[in-house]
């Protein structure tokens, strides 16, 4: 059982702010993902929870106890890193067993615990091998088993899939998802990959430049991004964002005119998802020449240029055209997201005047 609380937690190095006033409660058994680009503060936040970095300000609580002054070994957390950090001279069995020896667990219990952990990540046939004899995916599973065997209150995972190829990332991601369900342990997972975040998380914390941009479940983050940063970071492809003007409910930009919007007059950024729009024969809201075409198998991604901005639409896989051909894209008001042209903050319909 472990609830984690971060109260005004920050990290500074001189004048540089790595994490700014982070406030969040992570309930017991939640799978929380810290998501953002490189340098956004997500790993620093995790390291402060683990005790590998000292917080410059604020309090970190685990089950109601302030742990700021505690050593990492006393916080009852287990970490899985991007680098597997395995002992090359030990076989898989001994690598998994090592935390039990260090923590003074009764040796009579070691074999049962090691084999239970290895079975969870399907390593039973590899226990005699050394790390050098394993694939990248197998090594990461050893690292997972080594964390599992400790039976900690909290799992901390820092970019655990980054060193794997695309196919292995998918299969290992599914394994982590299944493990989180089976183990039911509070987990904090750091990644820059929004697909990992959307598929694994109970809740996502989107960060940028040390500041929390939005907290919510994957559906909330995807359907109602809090600002243009979140909108442009979440989704594959990311949300299309077009800068323009709103006058009397009509948004205009070069080659773009969309009416029926609930947004105040002035500079605004309009967003829409490629899968929500459609290619039409004529009378669309965006009219521009095709910049590129990508056949995805189940669909064709059509990209056009609006000023200096590239935006796209997901068309049927049977769509046929050439680069340079004129195309018309339907973007109904109902699928549009509106953001303030100055701050980038989301404009809610009821805020319109």
């Amino acid at each position: 059982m472990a609830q984690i609380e971060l109260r005004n937690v920050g990290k500074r190095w001189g004048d540089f702010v790595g994490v700014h006033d982070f406030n969040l409660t992570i309930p017991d058994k939640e799978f929380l993902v810290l998501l953002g680009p490189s340098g956004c503060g997500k790993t620093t936040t995790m390291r402060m929870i683990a005790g590998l970095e000292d917080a410059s300000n604020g309090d970190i609580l685990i089950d109601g106890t302030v742990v700021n002054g505690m050593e990492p070994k006393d916080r009852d957390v287990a970490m899985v890193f991007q680098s597997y950090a395995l002992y090359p001279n030990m076989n898989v069995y001994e690598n998994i067993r090592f935390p039990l020896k260090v923590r003074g667990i009764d040796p009579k219990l070691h074999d049962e615990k090691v084999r239970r952990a290895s079975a969870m990540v399907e390593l039973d046939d590899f226990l005699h091998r050394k790390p050098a004899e394993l694939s990248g995916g197998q090594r990461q599973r050893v690292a997972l088993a080594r964390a599992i065997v400790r039976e900690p209150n909290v799992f901390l995972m820092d970019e655990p899939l980054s060193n794997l190829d695309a196919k292995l990332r998918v299969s290992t991601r599914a394994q982590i998802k299944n493990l989180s369900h089976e183990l039911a342990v509070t987990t904090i997972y750091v990644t820059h990959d929004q697909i990992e975040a959307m598929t694994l998380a109970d809740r996502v914390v989107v960060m940028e430049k040390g500041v929390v941009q939005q907290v919510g479940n994957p559906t909330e983050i995807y359907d109602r991004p809090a600002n243009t940063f979140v909108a442009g970071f979440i989704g594959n492809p990311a949300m299309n964002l077009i800068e323009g003007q709103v006058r009397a409910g009509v948004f205009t930009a070069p080659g773009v005119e969309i009416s029926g919007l609930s947004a105040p007059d002035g500079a605004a950024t309009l967003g829409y998802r490629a899968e929500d729009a459609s290619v039409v024969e004529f009378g669309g809201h965006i009219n521009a020449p095709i910049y590129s075409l990508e056949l995805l198998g189940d669909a064709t991604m059509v990209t056009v240029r609006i000023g200096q901005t590239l935006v796209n639409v997901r068309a049927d896989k049977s769509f046929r055209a050439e680069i340079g051909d004129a195309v018309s894209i339907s973007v109904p008001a109902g699928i549009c997201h509106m953001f303030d042209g100055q701050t980038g903050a989301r404009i809610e319909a009821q805020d319109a005047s």
Side-chain angles (χ1 to χ4, degrees):
M1 300 287 288
Q3 175 175 286
I4 300 170
E5 294 178 72
L6 305 178
R7 298 177 180 172
N8 300 110
V9 173
K11 181 65 180 180
R12 291 176 175 78
W13 293 272
D15 293 333
F16 177 75
V17 179
V19 177
H20 179 74
D21 283 343
F22 196 118
N23 286 280
L24 189 68
T25 296
I26 306 164
D28 179 47
K29 300 180 182 178
E30 180 172 68
F31 195 115
L32 183 89
V33 173
L34 301 178
L35 173 68
S38 178
C40 73
K42 56 190 187 294
T43 294
T44 300
T45 300
M46 173 178 283
R47 289 175 63 84
M48 288 191 288
I49 295 169
L52 302 177
E53 293 275 2
D54 293 328
S56 302
N57 56 272
D59 291 322
I60 301 169
L61 294 84
I62 299 179
D63 280 341
T65 300
V66 177
V67 299
N68 291 49
M70 285 188 185
E71 292 293 318
K73 64 183 177 61
D74 299 323
R75 300 191 185 195
D76 199 14
V77 302
M79 288 198 71
V80 180
F81 297 95
Q82 177 178 346
S83 59
Y84 316 121
L86 303 179
Y87 296 100
N89 58 315
M90 296 181 184
N91 63 22
V92 169
Y93 185 98
E94 290 300 328
N95 265 283
I96 298 172
R97 182 186 177 203
F98 189 76
L100 300 177
K101 296 168 67 176
V102 170
R103 295 173 71 84
I105 304 298
D106 184 349
K108 294 178 182 177
L109 303 176
H110 287 195
D111 189 66
E112 178 187 348
K113 289 180 178 291
V114 169
R115 293 188 182 278
R116 176 177 174 269
S118 71
M120 284 186 172
V121 293
E122 301 173 10
L123 282 173
D124 289 350
D125 294 336
F126 303 93
L127 292 175
H128 63 286
R129 294 192 185 183
K130 297 285 183 67
E133 303 173 76
L134 303 176
S135 68
Q138 290 164 342
R139 291 181 202 178
Q140 192 55 275
R141 280 151 53 194
V142 176
L144 285 169
R146 188 176 56 189
I148 291 166
V149 81
R150 284 189 52 189
E151 299 177 5
N153 273 334
V154 181
F155 281 119
L156 303 176
M157 300 187 182
D158 187 9
E159 302 269 13
L161 307 184
S162 290
N163 290 340
L164 306 183
D165 62 40
K167 185 176 180 180
L168 271 176
R169 286 174 79 129
V170 172
S171 59
T172 309
R173 189 170 71 222
Q175 198 156 41
I176 289 174
K177 180 78 170 179
N178 183 267
L179 275 174
S180 70
H181 175 77
E182 188 173 345
L183 295 170
V185 174
T186 307
T187 302
I188 302 174
Y189 185 105
V190 162
T191 184
H192 65 276
D193 186 322
Q194 52 92 19
I195 295 177
E196 285 179 26
M198 298 294 282
T199 54
L200 290 173
D202 295 323
R203 277 194 305 165
V204 180
V205 178
V206 184
M207 299 181 68
E208 199 237 352
K209 296 180 180 177
V211 178
V212 173
Q213 302 294 314
Q214 188 171 1
V215 181
N217 65 47
T219 300
E220 291 168 346
I221 297 284
Y222 189 84
D223 289 344
R224 299 178 62 79
N227 53 43
T228 51
F229 174 80
V230 177
F233 195 77
I234 298 293
N236 185 25
M239 184 179 288
N240 295 293
L241 296 170
I242 306 169
E243 295 181 0
Q245 296 285 327
V246 175
R247 291 285 182 272
V250 180
F251 176 86
T252 57
V256 182
E257 183 173 320
I258 302 172
S259 59
L261 297 166
S262 295
D265 288 357
T269 299
L270 181 141
Y272 75 91
R273 299 270 181 207
E275 64 269 25
D276 293 335
S278 58
V279 173
V280 294
E281 290 189 23
F282 55 85
H285 304 93
I286 297 176
N287 294 281
I290 294 174
Y291 181 82
S292 72
L293 291 164
E294 298 171 86
L295 182 58
L296 306 178
D298 62 336
T300 301
M301 195 64 70
V302 182
T303 302
V304 303
R305 184 195 288 275
I306 298 170
Q308 297 302 309
T309 302
L310 296 178
V311 298
N312 45 46
V313 56
R314 194 177 178 91
D316 189 84
K317 64 181 180 181
S318 62
F319 178 81
R320 295 290 180 268
E322 301 291 337
I323 291 176
D325 289 353
V327 68
S328 190
I329 302 172
S330 174
V331 187
I335 71 166
C336 294
H337 303 254
M338 300 302 297
F339 304 93
D340 186 279
Q342 301 300 319
T343 67
R346 183 180 186 86
I347 300 171
E348 300 293 354
Q350 58 266 33
D351 293 339
S353 57

